[in-house]
Amino acid sequence: MADAAVNLTQKDFATDQDVRWCPGCGDYSILANVQRVMPEFGIPRENFVFISGIGCSSRFPYYMNTYGMHTIHGRAPAFAAGVKASRPELSVWVVTGDGDGLSIGGNHLLHAIRRNIDYQILLFNNRVYGLTKGQYSPTSRIGMKTKSTPDGSIDYPVDPIKFALGASATFVARTVDVDAKHLQQTLRRAHEHKGTAFVEILQNCPVFNDNEWIEVENKKTRSEAALVLEDGQPLVTGSKGQRRGIRIENGIPSVVKLGDEEDPVAAGVAVHNERHDSPAYAFALASLERPNFPIPIGVFRSVERPAYDEMLSNQVTQAIEKRGEGDLHALLHSGDTWTVE
Amino acid sequence: MPNKKTEELEGVAIRFTGDSGDGMQLTGTKFTESTALAGNDLATLPDYPAEIRAPAGTLAGVSGFQIHFSSKEISTPADQPDVLVAFNPAALRANIDDVRPGGMVIVNTDAFNDKALARAGYDEDPLPALRDRVKLVEIPLTRLNREALKDLNLSYRDADRSKNFFALGIMFWLYHRSMDPTLRWLESRFKGDIREANVRVLNAGYAFAETTEMFPVSYVIPSAKIQPGTYRNITGNTALAWGIAAAGTLNDCPVFLGAYPITPASDILHELARYRQFGVRTFQAEDEIAAISTAIGASFAGMLGVTTTSGPGFVLKQEALGLAVMTELPLVVVDVQRGGPSTGMPTKIEQGDLLMALYGRNSDCPVAILAPSSPGDCFHIMIEAFSLAVKYMTPVVVLSDGYLANSAEPWLIPDIASLRRSPVKHHTEISNFQPYERNPETLARPWAVPGTKGLEHRIGGLGKDEITGNVSYDPRNNERMIELRAEKVARIANDIPPIEVNGQDQGGLLLVGWGSTHGAIYAAVKEARENGLNVSNIHLRHLNPFPSNLADVLSRFDQILVPELNQGQLSRILRAEFLLPAVPMIKQQGQPFQISEILERIRAMLREEN
């Protein structure tokens, strides 16, 4: 699919439509970074399809100069499954949010991931309903006061990463809206992955839930608040004088204080491995939450498994090889027939 | 060989009944195959409980299969069976009242013990009283069957499983049917003792019937005079699945089926899943919403998208169907209607979803609606549905029902060359491309699919500008788009043949039907006309839009009666559209119309008139 002759720029992926998110919305940064990495893939623009559901994030396809479809609430993974299962050569991207993907569309997200359909799912998580003006979402923290929870939310939240891992995701990553470099790198990794690539993007809603992720967005607090995952590297965070490592024993994570020069591996700190066959390790990582732990950023898990659309295409090819191209006349005359003279 | 008499009959209706585990559907199907090969006209009606295995021996667990075959043209499985085969007291109790007075009842006497009688709710043995009412044939079926298998190493339990084939052998002899198709089927399907057992009891049943004095007469039903050609037996669900596969071939465009299992539509998914060599991609979705969503996604990607369901699933699909209307993509939605509302009676028959198909979405959201009128018509209607969906870039709803889905009829296999071909041509012209610029004749927008250079565009459910398709909240544009979408669907009438009246073309009573009721209405009108009554009928295959001559045809009759298996949905539409006093004839019992019911109503209406 990659074509060396394809020379596109970020601008080629912008449409003539006015972008209508609120000033300061994290979506602007995500859009710019997606448009920036697209040309790198060497794929003709007409082979990209962006599919979204309903919500602020789901306006995304209108601003991408590719093929796109703004569908109905929560169902984007299913529409995209239809596109990818019938045209596996297309590069399909699903854009969803925490409400769209994990509330009304939780079922479709689960089954898309389970089937390992070869597409990217970008879930913008701002922990609030924006387009309907500020109700709590399924990822909102317990106690959060919103229009629909004046006394504080009494819903325990769902964690997108744990959800994806629970659905046997083959690729799970988390990145941050304003961290251009990390976001782009994560998108590249998601694109390279064969199978469902699930990416949670921590995204700020300046109107209804401002600063939800400020600790990992702000460069000053970030080095301690975020745990940047790098394959083969120990789980270490914090700068000089504040070094911390993550030890994982029997699936239970704990924080280890580290001296500035101390060898983290010798201190029992876990070494990141994206390719564990069991999701248990990634699940332990996913349980790291503020304020007791740093928030992991990066690729939690990346394993190989045949993709649904690939297996479906193989079945079609094999059926034709085995039975020959479908013959309508033969089908209608199969089994018992009789002729009236 | 005893010298037995042979009588010729014009037609017979037989109902096989037993426990849902007794294999009645299989027995009926095998009898049907042989009957079709004998050249009779035929119609069948399976009737089975929704529970896979209801408690044995109870009324709830009774499964039945009725076949009507004749040397004359027939159009229904018959109101009353002439022959009832009852494998147990519950089957007898559930069906005896339907049997034609003086008809034949064949029972397995071994099943009429005290326990089984009690389970069926009988206080005493019903057989003695029956002997005066019907020709009662009492056969110790279980024992005879075990006897035939005694030297095989089978448990009673395994041996008893084949007793339906012993009975089938009896019926084959009684009506001069060939056992060959069933023997061939057993050869290909089973091996070892199981095959041997079934072959043996089939032959044993045949030989038993031939020798016993219980059957002094056997019956010949001469073959029917039917249109020359090659025939096969087909159910509506199979025909529908084949029509979908055919549409892919004829339109030179692969089919994508998104479906979620639901009674009575699941067989369509099962059937199509076997046709990957036709390029058919079937996708068993996680739910009804995903099923239609994947189909719409496939349509957007340039495939022939289709989704199949039944009433409760159709409800769930309505929002996505609205999106397909808004995005103006070709899509076919099949609703195999069943008894409702809610979960209702999944295996029973109803035509309750017409108004939902027409009006079930938010705002004004028109779709084309077609309804097949016989099992074989399910094949042709699917080809038509895809052709219209692509030509007009619109969703098309096909309303089948549980009766068409499961009943079978002999079907004249069409010549492939005679079928409508409308090869799909996706839009490729780059210059001046506008996603919503319409074909002036059909008002269809261009079908530009991903992978086509220079035509990148975005569609969605938000209000659209009339030409560019860009998001628009412009008030006048919004109303204009609603009108355009309605006008587009209305123009499909240009592709619909005018409705033809069966009978005389004006005056008297006109029956208006749609869908699976065709056979019963047609037979009732035929009989009424033979009796000199002034009655005609039309049968609508196109419910939105209607054939363009419908208003004219309706206006030429004095009275209009609309028999429907619902509370009068079509009659309500006819009254609203044409301001005519269409009278509904309502039935909602999970069963099809009987010819006699319709005939009685015809007589009553014509009496009132005089």
Side-chain angles (χ1 to χ4, degrees), chain B residues 465-482:
Chain B
D465 177 81
E466 184 183 338
I467 305 295
T468 63
N470 286 333
V471 176
S472 170
Y473 287 16
D474 179 85
R476 285 179 191 281
N477 175 77
N478 185 62
E479 194 164 283
R480 169 93 182 124
M481 286 297 272
I482 285 173

PDB file of all heavy atoms in Angstrom, chain B residues 465-482:
ATOM      1  N   ASP B 465     -25.598  20.570   2.985  1.00  0.00           N
ATOM      2  CA  ASP B 465     -25.823  21.503   1.889  1.00  0.00           C
ATOM      3  C   ASP B 465     -26.267  20.721   0.647  1.00  0.00           C
ATOM      4  O   ASP B 465     -25.773  19.634   0.376  1.00  0.00           O
ATOM      5  CB  ASP B 465     -24.541  22.281   1.588  1.00  0.00           C
ATOM      6  CG  ASP B 465     -24.734  23.210   0.403  1.00  0.00           C
ATOM      7  OD1 ASP B 465     -25.290  24.302   0.607  1.00  0.00           O
ATOM      8  OD2 ASP B 465     -24.368  22.826  -0.730  1.00  0.00           O
ATOM      9  N   GLU B 466     -27.186  21.335  -0.108  1.00  0.00           N
ATOM     10  CA  GLU B 466     -27.834  20.652  -1.224  1.00  0.00           C
ATOM     11  C   GLU B 466     -26.847  20.134  -2.275  1.00  0.00           C
ATOM     12  O   GLU B 466     -27.089  19.109  -2.905  1.00  0.00           O
ATOM     13  CB  GLU B 466     -28.832  21.609  -1.877  1.00  0.00           C
ATOM     14  CG  GLU B 466     -29.641  20.976  -2.978  1.00  0.00           C
ATOM     15  CD  GLU B 466     -30.576  21.969  -3.651  1.00  0.00           C
ATOM     16  OE1 GLU B 466     -30.908  22.994  -3.042  1.00  0.00           O
ATOM     17  OE2 GLU B 466     -30.959  21.705  -4.795  1.00  0.00           O
ATOM     18  N   ILE B 467     -25.754  20.845  -2.487  1.00  0.00           N
ATOM     19  CA  ILE B 467     -24.820  20.456  -3.551  1.00  0.00           C
ATOM     20  C   ILE B 467     -23.526  19.859  -2.986  1.00  0.00           C
ATOM     21  O   ILE B 467     -23.116  18.773  -3.369  1.00  0.00           O
ATOM     22  CB  ILE B 467     -24.449  21.683  -4.434  1.00  0.00           C
ATOM     23  CG1 ILE B 467     -25.722  22.336  -4.989  1.00  0.00           C
ATOM     24  CG2 ILE B 467     -23.505  21.268  -5.557  1.00  0.00           C
ATOM     25  CD1 ILE B 467     -26.521  21.488  -5.955  1.00  0.00           C
ATOM     26  N   THR B 468     -22.922  20.589  -2.044  1.00  0.00           N
ATOM     27  CA  THR B 468     -21.598  20.156  -1.565  1.00  0.00           C
ATOM     28  C   THR B 468     -21.686  19.040  -0.539  1.00  0.00           C
ATOM     29  O   THR B 468     -20.738  18.290  -0.354  1.00  0.00           O
ATOM     30  CB  THR B 468     -20.851  21.326  -0.892  1.00  0.00           C
ATOM     31  OG1 THR B 468     -21.598  21.738   0.261  1.00  0.00           O
ATOM     32  CG2 THR B 468     -20.689  22.505  -1.853  1.00  0.00           C
ATOM     33  N   GLY B 469     -22.822  18.952   0.135  1.00  0.00           N
ATOM     34  CA  GLY B 469     -22.928  17.966   1.206  1.00  0.00           C
ATOM     35  C   GLY B 469     -22.246  18.410   2.482  1.00  0.00           C
ATOM     36  O   GLY B 469     -22.215  17.680   3.464  1.00  0.00           O
ATOM     37  N   ASN B 470     -21.674  19.614   2.461  1.00  0.00           N
ATOM     38  CA  ASN B 470     -21.054  20.124   3.685  1.00  0.00           C
ATOM     39  C   ASN B 470     -22.124  20.366   4.746  1.00  0.00           C
ATOM     40  O   ASN B 470     -23.298  20.553   4.424  1.00  0.00           O
ATOM     41  CB  ASN B 470     -20.318  21.437   3.405  1.00  0.00           C
ATOM     42  CG  ASN B 470     -19.027  21.200   2.638  1.00  0.00           C
ATOM     43  OD1 ASN B 470     -18.426  20.133   2.730  1.00  0.00           O
ATOM     44  ND2 ASN B 470     -18.620  22.188   1.862  1.00  0.00           N
ATOM     45  N   VAL B 471     -21.701  20.370   6.011  1.00  0.00           N
ATOM     46  CA  VAL B 471     -22.649  20.597   7.100  1.00  0.00           C
ATOM     47  C   VAL B 471     -23.363  21.928   6.877  1.00  0.00           C
ATOM     48  O   VAL B 471     -22.722  22.944   6.588  1.00  0.00           O
ATOM     49  CB  VAL B 471     -21.911  20.602   8.456  1.00  0.00           C
ATOM     50  CG1 VAL B 471     -22.866  20.945   9.581  1.00  0.00           C
ATOM     51  CG2 VAL B 471     -21.250  19.251   8.695  1.00  0.00           C
ATOM     52  N   SER B 472     -24.666  21.915   6.973  1.00  0.00           N
ATOM     53  CA  SER B 472     -25.425  23.147   6.771  1.00  0.00           C
ATOM     54  C   SER B 472     -26.593  23.208   7.733  1.00  0.00           C
ATOM     55  O   SER B 472     -27.337  22.235   7.886  1.00  0.00           O
ATOM     56  CB  SER B 472     -25.946  23.218   5.336  1.00  0.00           C
ATOM     57  OG  SER B 472     -26.866  24.287   5.226  1.00  0.00           O
ATOM     58  N   TYR B 473     -26.756  24.359   8.377  1.00  0.00           N
ATOM     59  CA  TYR B 473     -27.910  24.596   9.250  1.00  0.00           C
ATOM     60  C   TYR B 473     -28.844  25.609   8.613  1.00  0.00           C
ATOM     61  O   TYR B 473     -29.730  26.131   9.265  1.00  0.00           O
ATOM     62  CB  TYR B 473     -27.455  25.095  10.624  1.00  0.00           C
ATOM     63  CG  TYR B 473     -26.813  24.038  11.517  1.00  0.00           C
ATOM     64  CD1 TYR B 473     -26.366  22.820  10.985  1.00  0.00           C
ATOM     65  CD2 TYR B 473     -26.680  24.249  12.873  1.00  0.00           C
ATOM     66  CE1 TYR B 473     -25.790  21.862  11.804  1.00  0.00           C
ATOM     67  CE2 TYR B 473     -26.101  23.286  13.700  1.00  0.00           C
ATOM     68  CZ  TYR B 473     -25.649  22.100  13.158  1.00  0.00           C
ATOM     69  OH  TYR B 473     -25.084  21.146  13.970  1.00  0.00           O
ATOM     70  N   ASP B 474     -28.651  25.864   7.347  1.00  0.00           N
ATOM     71  CA  ASP B 474     -29.472  26.842   6.649  1.00  0.00           C
ATOM     72  C   ASP B 474     -30.933  26.361   6.623  1.00  0.00           C
ATOM     73  O   ASP B 474     -31.213  25.253   6.164  1.00  0.00           O
ATOM     74  CB  ASP B 474     -28.956  27.020   5.216  1.00  0.00           C
ATOM     75  CG  ASP B 474     -29.783  28.014   4.439  1.00  0.00           C
ATOM     76  OD1 ASP B 474     -29.504  29.215   4.554  1.00  0.00           O
ATOM     77  OD2 ASP B 474     -30.737  27.579   3.744  1.00  0.00           O
ATOM     78  N   PRO B 475     -31.870  27.187   7.113  1.00  0.00           N
ATOM     79  CA  PRO B 475     -33.260  26.721   7.256  1.00  0.00           C
ATOM     80  C   PRO B 475     -33.893  26.282   5.939  1.00  0.00           C
ATOM     81  O   PRO B 475     -34.525  25.225   5.866  1.00  0.00           O
ATOM     82  CB  PRO B 475     -34.000  27.937   7.821  1.00  0.00           C
ATOM     83  CG  PRO B 475     -32.947  28.854   8.341  1.00  0.00           C
ATOM     84  CD  PRO B 475     -31.692  28.572   7.591  1.00  0.00           C
ATOM     85  N   ARG B 476     -33.739  27.073   4.894  1.00  0.00           N
ATOM     86  CA  ARG B 476     -34.374  26.728   3.618  1.00  0.00           C
ATOM     87  C   ARG B 476     -33.731  25.500   2.988  1.00  0.00           C
ATOM     88  O   ARG B 476     -34.404  24.652   2.402  1.00  0.00           O
ATOM     89  CB  ARG B 476     -34.299  27.902   2.651  1.00  0.00           C
ATOM     90  CG  ARG B 476     -35.275  28.983   3.004  1.00  0.00           C
ATOM     91  CD  ARG B 476     -35.173  30.157   2.037  1.00  0.00           C
ATOM     92  NE  ARG B 476     -35.926  31.278   2.558  1.00  0.00           N
ATOM     93  CZ  ARG B 476     -37.250  31.378   2.459  1.00  0.00           C
ATOM     94  NH1 ARG B 476     -37.927  30.432   1.857  1.00  0.00           N
ATOM     95  NH2 ARG B 476     -37.879  32.416   2.967  1.00  0.00           N
ATOM     96  N   ASN B 477     -32.409  25.444   3.134  1.00  0.00           N
ATOM     97  CA  ASN B 477     -31.693  24.286   2.596  1.00  0.00           C
ATOM     98  C   ASN B 477     -32.179  23.006   3.275  1.00  0.00           C
ATOM     99  O   ASN B 477     -32.368  21.972   2.631  1.00  0.00           O
ATOM    100  CB  ASN B 477     -30.192  24.474   2.809  1.00  0.00           C
ATOM    101  CG  ASN B 477     -29.392  23.255   2.375  1.00  0.00           C
ATOM    102  OD1 ASN B 477     -29.178  23.041   1.190  1.00  0.00           O
ATOM    103  ND2 ASN B 477     -28.980  22.430   3.326  1.00  0.00           N
ATOM    104  N   ASN B 478     -32.409  23.081   4.586  1.00  0.00           N
ATOM    105  CA  ASN B 478     -32.856  21.899   5.320  1.00  0.00           C
ATOM    106  C   ASN B 478     -34.184  21.374   4.782  1.00  0.00           C
ATOM    107  O   ASN B 478     -34.343  20.182   4.514  1.00  0.00           O
ATOM    108  CB  ASN B 478     -32.992  22.239   6.802  1.00  0.00           C
ATOM    109  CG  ASN B 478     -33.334  21.001   7.628  1.00  0.00           C
ATOM    110  OD1 ASN B 478     -32.565  20.059   7.674  1.00  0.00           O
ATOM    111  ND2 ASN B 478     -34.515  20.996   8.239  1.00  0.00           N
ATOM    112  N   GLU B 479     -35.136  22.289   4.603  1.00  0.00           N
ATOM    113  CA  GLU B 479     -36.442  21.872   4.106  1.00  0.00           C
ATOM    114  C   GLU B 479     -36.335  21.339   2.678  1.00  0.00           C
ATOM    115  O   GLU B 479     -36.961  20.342   2.310  1.00  0.00           O
ATOM    116  CB  GLU B 479     -37.429  23.047   4.162  1.00  0.00           C
ATOM    117  CG  GLU B 479     -38.864  22.611   3.982  1.00  0.00           C
ATOM    118  CD  GLU B 479     -39.840  23.697   4.423  1.00  0.00           C
ATOM    119  OE1 GLU B 479     -40.024  23.863   5.633  1.00  0.00           O
ATOM    120  OE2 GLU B 479     -40.390  24.384   3.542  1.00  0.00           O
ATOM    121  N   ARG B 480     -35.524  22.018   1.898  1.00  0.00           N
ATOM    122  CA  ARG B 480     -35.312  21.596   0.516  1.00  0.00           C
ATOM    123  C   ARG B 480     -34.746  20.168   0.467  1.00  0.00           C
ATOM    124  O   ARG B 480     -35.174  19.342  -0.339  1.00  0.00           O
ATOM    125  CB  ARG B 480     -34.345  22.578  -0.153  1.00  0.00           C
ATOM    126  CG  ARG B 480     -33.817  22.154  -1.484  1.00  0.00           C
ATOM    127  CD  ARG B 480     -34.664  22.687  -2.636  1.00  0.00           C
ATOM    128  NE  ARG B 480     -34.143  22.226  -3.901  1.00  0.00           N
ATOM    129  CZ  ARG B 480     -34.838  21.553  -4.790  1.00  0.00           C
ATOM    130  NH1 ARG B 480     -36.117  21.276  -4.570  1.00  0.00           N
ATOM    131  NH2 ARG B 480     -34.307  21.169  -5.921  1.00  0.00           N
ATOM    132  N   MET B 481     -33.795  19.869   1.352  1.00  0.00           N
ATOM    133  CA  MET B 481     -33.193  18.529   1.371  1.00  0.00           C
ATOM    134  C   MET B 481     -34.215  17.467   1.789  1.00  0.00           C
ATOM    135  O   MET B 481     -34.217  16.356   1.263  1.00  0.00           O
ATOM    136  CB  MET B 481     -31.984  18.504   2.310  1.00  0.00           C
ATOM    137  CG  MET B 481     -30.768  19.213   1.742  1.00  0.00           C
ATOM    138  SD  MET B 481     -30.149  18.426   0.223  1.00  0.00           S
ATOM    139  CE  MET B 481     -29.028  17.214   0.925  1.00  0.00           C
ATOM    140  N   ILE B 482     -35.073  17.811   2.741  1.00  0.00           N
ATOM    141  CA  ILE B 482     -36.115  16.857   3.152  1.00  0.00           C
ATOM    142  C   ILE B 482     -37.038  16.563   1.974  1.00  0.00           C
ATOM    143  O   ILE B 482     -37.392  15.419   1.709  1.00  0.00           O
ATOM    144  CB  ILE B 482     -36.881  17.409   4.385  1.00  0.00           C
ATOM    145  CG1 ILE B 482     -35.987  17.255   5.621  1.00  0.00           C
ATOM    146  CG2 ILE B 482     -38.207  16.684   4.585  1.00  0.00           C
ATOM    147  CD1 ILE B 482     -36.514  17.894   6.879  1.00  0.00           C
TER     148      ILE B 482
END
